[in-house]
Amino acid sequence: MGTDELLATQRNSVRRQMRATRPDALAERIGEAGLATAVLLCPFVLGGAHPGGRFVYLLGAALAALGMASAATLRGRTLSTPRWIGVVLLSATAIPVLQVIPLPLSPAAVTAVDFQEMLPAWEGTLGLAEWRTLSVSPRDTLLGLAVMVGHALLVFALIERLRSVDDLRRAITAIAVSTIGMVLLALAQYGARRGGLCGLIDHPYTDFRDLQGTFTNKNHFAHFALLGLGPTVWLVFARLRHADSGRCRKVAGRAVLGRVGWLVCPAMVVTAILASRSRGAGAALAISTLIVAIVLTRAGRFTLRQAIAIAAVLALTLAGVSIMGTEAVSSRMGALVQLDIDALDQKHARRAIWQANIEAFCASPIFGFGVGSHRHIYPAFIEAPFAAEFTHAESGYLQIASETGLLGLLVLALAIAGVGSAVIGGLARCNDQDELGLRLAILFGLIASATHSVVDFVWYRPGLVAPTLVLLIGAVRLDSLREAAAVREFLGVRRKALLHAGGLAALSSFALILTWPSVASSRAWADYLRASSGERAMIQRLVTEDPQHADPILADTIGQASHRITNLLRRTIELDPKNSKAHRLYAYRLINRFELESDTRSTGMTLDVIADAARNGGFATVDERGAWLDRALGPHATDLREARRHARIALRLCPFDAEAWLCLASLSFLDPSLDDPRPLIEQACRLCPHDGGVLFESGRLFALHGDIRRQFDLWQRCLNVRGGHVTRLVLWVSQTTPASAFIGALQPDFEALEIALQQYSRRGNQDDMVALAKYAYGEAERAEKGGKEPPARLAYRWRHAGRALRSIGRYEEATEAAEKAVALAPHVFSSRHELAVCLRELGRHDEADAHTRWCLARRPDLAHLREWLTDSARRRVVADRGRGGSRPLYGSSEQSGRDPNAPAQVVPCRTSSHQGMIK
């Protein structure tokens, strides 16, 4: 290199360094860092599902917008946005603003929804101020508004940054690389099966054992992979075209190896989509592929080399699926191929929640019930009971309809029309091979997003919306970038860039401030969820385990856990005072603490006894009643009054919270003006007519007011829904009601029957146990004759029937029931264990030992299994030595010396505490 060339190189290097340190260049680098944070980093922070991930997204979008606006201001350029995009963004942001602004009139005056009909107890019973907002959950709507502002900021930043086709190529490449990285992480984590995110982060809602990457839902992971599949294929084919030219042709072996290596990338992404077993993503993959193939064929650009490459990708995909497990994938996708709706939606859950959202839309068709209000409103409209909570509508279009009404649907239609016009028009005018590849990559991702959203609501995850916005803006900008055309000014008005930057700064600050309380309280809330889950497991163990083998410190451990949960909820409220659910849960925890401390008070009365005495005590005046309450409640009265205050706060934040209504009903005796709390109970039943917990608590409160008919009507419906309320119901009934009455009134299923067996066995009443055993055996026989239940559930019925029969000393029949359970489910530990117990009761130790060894091989930690085998060995030694006359520890009535004609005694189940662990 000559001296002149060297000097020129040095001068260019100095110029680049000077440009890089200029204020406008630094501002642009900050904007690019913000874009990388919002688009590339946010998906790896739980996809934006966690409040921290949402904050990362908003921070990245704010930095991107401010950086780009500052760079444009320093360069003297005017900021601009296409007119229709500006209208869409303004309208989408205005809807949640309109929903949270207090109206001068009742919402019923400007919408079709009649709040007085849906909330008759709001004004009539509590005398609360009239509800004035269109949203039934303003806090959730404000969070939705903050995310919408983040989307708008990101769109603005993308329009400013994508100033050339090369910029768009780099953006598409970044999405492809991000997708490949996510898939690699998901595959590595799935192979490790360690639990938790990367084996480190324990999430309260998921254990990350499915193929889901950093997302809390495998469907969302599959959607992210779908969005990146088009860019990945484009990147691979671009690299392959590059490999066919230049120096790569000189080394044929290395070139072939490189091609295969690149083809592995799209094959790996497709494999991950299929192995995630998301049928919605599988359908979206098929539809998007078909449309892109049609467009490519009609364009006449489908070459033999491309066909060979696609065939290689398919072969690699088949190999990957076989490694991941062909049977698991085919079993999930088989119903999709056959278009069997009943197989795709076996429990009718999706169709039920879709119908509920349609009903909600018809109830408030113009403005909807508020952004983010779905989990509060759907229970009032769903027509079937489900144990799971539907936080979202399982359809993006239906959720937008129920939450934002016709206004939201019109904005969505405008956005789809604008993007569709840009994509279709661009494809019609496209003549360049590279440009066609870019357009097809964008088209694939947008079609996948639109089709998958029909059966899943993926648009509320910022980690999924961000790459979608990159593809969307790329489709809109590609024509203007290619033609170097000037972008039309927003609403036709040229504004100063400095004013734009100031407005963007205000919007960014507003969005970040709105989301900060949920971010600050997220740690305490996550700790509460984990602690609450552990407490429920301990309570279930306490009520179902054998009292003879009960953990002596379990009750104290539950008390400590309850105290910690109360403190966590109080901390959550301190950091996020607008969290209505936290207020309601804290109110119930205060009531629970009052009940637990009832034994330490001088009166020893429970809350229900105090409430009944306050209403029916015949007090002459309100002051006399208040004085008696102060004495009865003692120093813990503050807990109840504080609970009532938090329940009212929860209702002011969200009047559709049925459990908050029930909390106020249980504390109504504290309010002298509220003589009859039944309207509050009916209000709760109106809002959640199929929620098991609400039905149980409503029935209990009706029973305390003497309405027994209403109580059992609600409890019969309650038992149709699985959940922790079943345990509470059985505990409450078993304390006061004979088993025969319990069976006749409620007809419990096998889940409730299991708990009833344990609770009634503790009472030691022979008639109760005989009634339960007869009912359990009859239900098992009826299910067997019906032939409709799967073998596993039928085995469950026979196992509990055997346990019930054994508890009343009918060992022969108990053994027959246990043998049926083992025949139906030979690999279920609890069935084998029950059969071993029954055989030992009959003295058939040799047969029992075979099942005991099977159980011990799978649960070597259970010491009683070794004791059983040791006892059997000792018996054989005694028998071999001819030492007769020794009475076996377990045997039939004749062997054990019992009189065969003597009445059977109630025998508690000898199944120890491990029964709770083996289910």
Side-chain angles (χ1 to χ4, degrees):
M1 180 181 295
T3 304
D4 294 339
E5 294 179 356
L6 181 61
L7 291 174
T9 303
Q10 292 177 348
R11 284 195 296 269
N12 292 333
S13 176
V14 171
R15 290 194 188 100
R16 284 194 297 269
Q17 293 177 3
M18 292 178 64
R19 282 197 300 268
T21 57
R22 285 191 339 229
D24 59 326
L26 288 176
E28 188 170 79
R29 294 294 178 270
I30 292 173
E32 291 173 349
L35 285 173
T37 300
V39 179
L40 305 180
L41 178 61
C42 179
F44 288 87
V45 188
L46 298 179
H50 189 273
R54 185 167 56 229
F55 190 81
V56 167
Y57 174 75
L58 293 176
L59 182 62
L63 287 175
L66 291 174
M68 294 303 167
S70 300
T73 302
L74 293 171
R75 291 169 181 168
R77 293 194 301 106
T78 301
L79 305 180
S80 56
T81 305
R83 185 185 299 272
W84 71 269
I85 291 181
V87 172
V88 168
L89 294 178
L90 271 183
S91 303
T93 306
I95 290 175
V97 171
L98 181 63
Q99 290 175 335
V100 297
I101 292 178
L103 301 176
L105 301 174
S106 169
V110 293
T111 65
V113 61
D114 190 350
F115 278 86
Q116 290 184 348
E117 180 182 353
M118 298 188 70
L119 300 171
W122 180 258
E123 296 180 37
T125 305
L126 294 182
L128 297 173
E130 187 177 12
W131 190 259
R132 292 291 187 182
T133 63
L134 296 173
S135 172
V136 300
S137 180
R139 182 243 187 191
D140 294 314
T141 303
L142 286 173
L143 289 176
L145 172 61
V147 174
M148 189 63 235
V149 169
H151 296 337
L153 294 173
L154 184 60
V155 167
F156 167 81
L158 287 170
I159 291 175
E160 282 299 311
R161 185 61 189 87
L162 299 179
R163 295 192 295 269
S164 67
V165 177
D166 288 337
D167 291 337
L168 181 57
R169 290 195 188 99
R170 284 191 288 270
I172 298 297
T173 301
I175 292 178
V177 172
S178 176
T179 302
I180 295 171
M182 178 68 74
V183 169
L184 287 172
L185 176 62
L187 293 174
Q189 182 171 281
Y190 183 76
R193 295 293 182 99
R194 297 177 60 186
L197 181 56
C198 301
L200 301 173
I201 301 176
D202 180 23
H203 194 272
Y205 291 131
T206 179
D207 58 6
F208 293 98
R209 293 187 183 276
D210 289 329
L211 188 66
Q212 61 192 91
T214 60
F215 290 87
T216 57
N217 186 304
K218 64 182 181 182
N219 295 327
H220 296 165
F221 163 75
H223 187 81
F224 182 80
L226 274 174
L227 293 174
L229 179 57
T232 302
V233 172
W234 170 82
L235 176 63
V236 168
F237 275 90
R239 293 296 178 180
L240 292 179
R241 284 198 304 272
H242 175 71
D244 290 334
S245 61
R247 293 179 298 174
C248 294
R249 291 183 175 179
K250 296 180 181 179
V251 186
R254 190 174 65 183
V256 172
L257 185 62
R259 290 189 182 94
V260 174
W262 280 108
L263 292 174
V264 167
C265 295
M268 185 172 57
V269 176
V270 176
T271 300
I273 295 172
L274 297 176
S276 69
R277 295 178 296 167
S278 172
R279 290 180 291 203
L285 173 64
I287 294 172
S288 303
T289 303
L290 178 62
I291 293 176
V292 169
I294 291 173
V295 172
L296 190 61
T297 303
R298 289 180 63 86
R301 302 296 180 89
F302 196 70
T303 64
L304 177 62
R305 182 170 295 178
Q306 291 173 342
I308 294 172
I310 292 174
V313 170
L314 291 177
L316 291 170
T317 301
L318 291 175
V321 170
S322 64
I323 294 173
M324 301 294 295
T326 307
E327 183 177 354
V329 175
S330 60
S331 63
R332 287 282 294 177
M333 298 300 176
L336 181 62
V337 175
Q338 299 171 4
L339 296 178
D340 187 348
I341 302 300
D342 291 329
L344 289 171
D345 188 24
Q346 294 180 353
K347 298 181 180 179
H348 299 269
R350 263 188 166 81
R351 282 172 283 182
I353 194 61
W354 290 346
Q355 182 63 35
N357 276 267
I358 293 173
E359 295 291 336
F361 170 72
C362 294
S364 181
I366 301 176
F367 299 101
F369 285 92
V371 174
S373 63
H374 180 269
R375 67 184 178 91
H376 301 291
I377 63 169
Y378 86 86
F381 298 98
I382 199 165
E383 297 179 353
F386 292 95
E389 180 187 16
F390 294 95
T391 57
H392 296 89
E394 305 298 338
S395 172
Y397 302 96
L398 289 178
Q399 180 144 347
I400 288 175
S402 62
E403 291 186 351
T404 62
L406 285 173
L407 291 180
L409 290 178
L410 289 174
V411 174
L412 178 62
L414 177 60
I416 292 175
V419 175
S421 175
V423 171
I424 295 173
L427 287 172
R429 295 186 296 270
C430 180
N431 295 316
D432 181 70
Q433 179 76 14
D434 182 62
E435 182 186 340
L436 179 63
L438 274 175
R439 291 187 182 277
L440 291 178
I442 293 171
L443 175 66
F444 184 95
L446 294 178
I447 292 175
S449 178
T451 53
H452 193 194
S453 295
V454 174
V455 295
D456 202 350
F457 186 43
V458 295
W459 291 331
Y460 75 102
R461 287 284 187 255
L464 298 176
V465 174
T468 305
L469 290 178
V470 174
L471 299 177
L472 188 150
I473 298 303
V476 173
R477 290 281 282 158
L478 195 54
D479 279 335
S480 60
L481 295 177
R482 182 172 177 271
E483 300 170 3
V487 183
R488 288 177 294 176
E489 301 301 325
F490 173 54
L491 298 180
V493 180
R494 296 179 61 87
R495 290 188 172 89
K496 297 290 185 181
L498 186 58
L499 295 178
H500 275 282
L504 293 173
L507 284 176
S508 303
S509 302
F510 173 73
L512 293 173
I513 290 172
L514 284 179
T515 57
W516 178 250
S518 63
V519 177
S521 63
S522 60
R523 177 65 180 273
W525 182 250
D527 289 343
Y528 155 74
L529 292 173
R530 282 188 285 266
S532 178
S533 177
E535 183 196 40
R536 285 194 299 270
M538 289 189 289
I539 292 175
Q540 184 72 13
R541 178 184 167 190
L542 181 67
V543 301
T544 57
E545 70 179 359
D546 188 347
Q548 296 179 357
H549 300 86
D551 186 347
I553 64 171
L554 184 58
D556 292 337
T557 304
I558 293 174
Q560 294 172 5
S562 179
H563 179 71
R564 179 170 180 264
I565 289 171
T566 304
N567 291 335
L568 288 171
L569 286 172
R570 183 173 63 248
R571 179 61 175 165
T572 301
I573 293 171
E574 290 172 355
L575 296 173
D576 187 7
K578 298 296 185 182
N579 189 333
S580 63
K581 187 174 183 180
H583 280 284
R584 183 247 299 167
L585 291 171
Y586 184 62
Y588 271 111
R589 285 290 165 176
L590 291 175
I591 294 174
N592 183 55
R593 185 167 69 183
F594 178 88
E595 292 281 44
L596 291 176
E597 295 173 349
S598 61
D599 294 336
T600 64
R601 295 192 296 273
S602 58
T603 60
M605 292 190 295
T606 63
L607 182 65
D608 292 339
V609 174
I610 294 173
D612 183 65
R615 292 192 185 94
N616 306 311
F619 298 105
T621 63
V622 173
D623 293 337
E624 182 182 351
R625 173 183 170 181
W628 179 86
L629 279 175
D630 289 337
R631 292 193 301 271
L633 297 176
H636 304 288
T638 305
D639 284 346
L640 295 185
R641 293 190 174 92
E642 191 70 5
R644 181 173 176 270
R645 185 177 71 85
H646 282 280
R648 291 178 69 92
I649 292 174
L651 284 179
R652 288 194 185 98
L653 294 172
C654 179
F656 275 60
D657 192 337
E659 293 180 73
W661 286 104
L662 291 177
C663 184
L664 276 182
S666 65
L667 299 174
S668 59
F669 66 92
L670 295 175
D671 189 351
S673 63
L674 192 59
D675 295 330
D676 187 5
R678 281 176 291 186
L680 305 183
I681 308 172
E682 293 289 359
Q683 176 67 80
C685 295
R686 188 184 191 88
L687 293 174
C688 291
H690 301 292
D691 184 276
V694 170
L695 293 174
F696 163 70
E697 186 65 17
S698 299
R700 190 185 70 83
L701 292 174
F702 273 121
L704 294 176
H705 290 82
D707 195 343
I708 304 300
R709 183 184 299 274
R710 184 77 167 125
Q711 170 201 6
F712 281 101
D713 174 61
L714 293 172
W715 280 5
Q716 283 178 338
R717 292 159 54 189
C718 170
L719 288 179
N720 293 328
V721 188
R722 292 188 177 184
H725 56 274
V726 176
T727 301
R728 290 185 288 156
L729 188 153
V730 176
L731 286 174
W732 206 85
V733 172
S734 63
Q735 294 172 4
T736 57
T737 308
S740 57
F742 167 60
I743 293 170
L746 297 178
Q747 298 293 310
D749 62 358
F750 56 87
E751 180 187 4
L753 186 61
E754 177 192 9
I755 304 170
L757 285 171
Q758 294 292 342
Q759 295 306 310
Y760 279 101
S761 68
R762 295 178 178 181
R763 295 179 59 182
N765 186 289
Q766 173 72 13
D767 294 336
D768 286 338
M769 298 309 298
V770 170
L772 288 171
K774 182 179 179 180
Y775 178 76
Y777 192 85
E779 287 295 299
E781 273 193 328
R782 189 178 299 111
E784 185 179 49
K785 292 178 181 178
K788 295 182 179 180
E789 290 199 357
R793 179 169 292 189
L794 189 57
Y796 191 97
R797 287 185 181 276
W798 279 116
R799 181 169 73 249
H800 287 290
R803 189 176 299 173
L805 291 166
R806 178 167 58 83
S807 69
I808 60 174
R810 297 169 65 172
Y811 301 118
E812 291 285 354
E813 293 170 300
T815 303
E816 292 178 5
E819 287 174 342
K820 288 183 178 181
V822 172
L824 288 165
H827 301 294
V828 175
F829 180 94
S830 50
S831 297
R832 291 266 194 173
H833 186 276
E834 180 63 27
L835 180 55
V837 173
C838 291
L839 291 171
R840 286 182 63 82
E841 295 283 5
L842 292 175
R844 295 157 59 179
H845 296 282
D846 291 339
E847 297 177 58
D849 287 349
H851 298 288
T852 303
R853 291 190 185 93
W854 187 94
C855 293
L856 185 61
R858 286 150 182 82
R859 292 294 305 275
D861 57 308
L862 299 180
H864 72 278
L865 297 176
R866 293 191 182 87
E867 294 174 2
W868 289 357
L869 293 175
T870 302
D871 178 65
S872 296
R874 180 176 58 81
R875 290 174 183 276
R876 284 192 292 271
V877 171
V878 171
D880 292 342
R881 292 178 179 177
R883 298 178 182 177
S886 61
R887 184 168 58 88
L889 297 179
Y890 298 90
S892 64
S893 59
E894 297 178 352
Q895 291 171 317
S896 61
R898 290 199 303 266
D899 183 2
N901 299 319
Q905 297 179 354
V906 177
V907 182
C909 299
R910 298 190 181 100
T911 50
S912 77
S913 61
H914 59 267
Q915 288 292 348
M917 295 182 285
I918 62 183
K919 287 190 294 183

